Amino acid sequence: MTESSRDILVRTLPMARRYARALTGSQEAGDGLVAEALRGDLPPLEPRLALYAAITERAPERPDAQGLSARQRQLLLLTALEDLTIDEAGQVVGLSGEEAGRELEEARAALRATAATDVLVIEDEPIIAMDVRRLVEACGHRVVGVAASEAEAVRLATEKKPGLILADINLGRGGDGSAAVARIQKSMRVPVIFVTAYPERLLTARGAEPTFIISKPFEPRALAIATYQATTTSSVPIV
């Protein structure tokens, strides 16, 4: 492997870890998948795509109540969460761009039929909170509360018992979104998606990290897919 290829892999690693944990539903399983991929031979693709492909190849099959295939889940995450083009995502999963496009259309149709859940939004910026609420509701979910501070988030979670939490990290004077989530998860098991402009800061491989992370600014489709993965794959607290 050339030094240039190695540098690309190092830069790709945090996002590849995000992809792997979104596939598996936990930090431990996702990081184990990445480690396994790096120990083996990478496929003959450009380094960034090769790492995604090696992870995809080793990803476990998961039952899906909504009828999505493993390949469709992978394509959705690669294009919406990781910002790969349809052609690039096709290379990762071993399909032509045309085949990948057809699979994605079927997967998106299935997503639109997904059952809704109650969502608590933790966001201190009023305009951003309004935009997030609009996007969440456009995905078919119900926003049961918007918290601008750590204390308010804990109170609303206790009262509303949400099925999903969408949390910003930095709440300004209102505290820390991750601290609010940690307090909430002491009393209830609920999947969480963290929204941040700097996802790499949460993917340092030091200690516990969020399982589901989307980058600001985000597209509605990325939010739809992240909420779907969080509510259908997560089985343990995400701190």
Side-chain angles (χ1 to χ4, degrees):
M1 181 183 295
T2 66
E3 185 175 345
S4 175
S5 295
R6 189 175 294 108
D7 288 344
I8 293 172
L9 283 178
V10 170
R11 291 197 300 271
T12 303
L13 190 56
M15 300 303 102
R17 292 178 64 227
R18 173 174 67 177
Y19 169 61
R21 64 184 58 188
L23 277 176
T24 60
S26 77
Q27 176 184 345
E28 182 180 4
D31 286 352
L33 190 59
V34 173
E36 184 183 347
L38 289 171
R39 283 194 294 267
D41 293 329
L42 297 180
L45 299 170
E46 64 101 341
R48 181 177 64 116
L49 300 184
L51 181 53
Y52 281 120
I55 292 168
T56 301
E57 181 181 326
R58 292 164 174 79
E61 294 282 343
R62 302 185 65 99
D64 190 305
Q66 303 302 322
L68 289 183
S69 69
R71 180 170 288 170
Q72 288 171 337
R73 277 181 180 264
Q74 293 156 4
L75 287 168
L76 285 169
L77 290 171
L78 288 167
T79 54
L81 194 67
E82 302 304 325
D83 291 325
L84 269 62
T85 66
I86 292 177
D87 285 341
E88 288 173 335
Q91 291 181 61
V92 168
V93 303
L95 296 176
S96 69
E98 184 178 347
E99 291 169 328
R102 286 198 298 267
E103 290 280 356
L104 276 170
E105 284 305 309
E106 291 181 13
R108 289 164 184 165
L111 269 186
R112 288 191 285 269
T114 301
T117 192
D118 292 335
V119 180
L120 171 62
V121 176
I122 304 176
E123 170 60 65
D124 67 312
E125 293 288 344
I127 294 177
I128 296 177
M130 288 175 58
D131 195 38
V132 170
R133 180 172 196 145
R134 178 182 59 80
L135 292 176
V136 168
E137 291 175 343
C139 292
H141 301 292
R142 298 173 295 272
V143 175
V144 294
V146 177
S149 69
E150 183 178 330
E152 186 179 16
V154 174
R155 178 182 62 79
L156 284 173
T158 301
E159 292 177 1
K160 303 296 185 179
K161 301 293 189 298
L164 175 69
I165 294 175
L166 191 64
D168 190 8
I169 300 296
N170 185 0
L171 301 179
R173 295 182 180 179
D176 185 301
S178 59
V181 168
R183 289 174 61 188
I184 290 167
Q185 291 188 329
K186 288 180 180 179
S187 59
M188 66 181 69
R189 300 171 66 88
V190 55
V192 181
I193 300 170
F194 283 98
V195 182
T196 174
Y198 306 100
E200 66 278 3
R201 295 182 183 178
L202 300 177
L203 296 164
T204 60
R206 293 192 295 269
E209 300 170 338
T211 299
F212 297 98
I213 306 168
I214 56 178
S215 305
K216 285 183 176 179
F218 56 86
E219 295 293 328
R221 186 171 291 157
L223 177 61
I225 293 167
T227 56
Y228 177 78
Q229 282 294 108
T231 55
T232 59
T233 66
S234 180
S235 60
V236 294
I238 306 164
V239 180

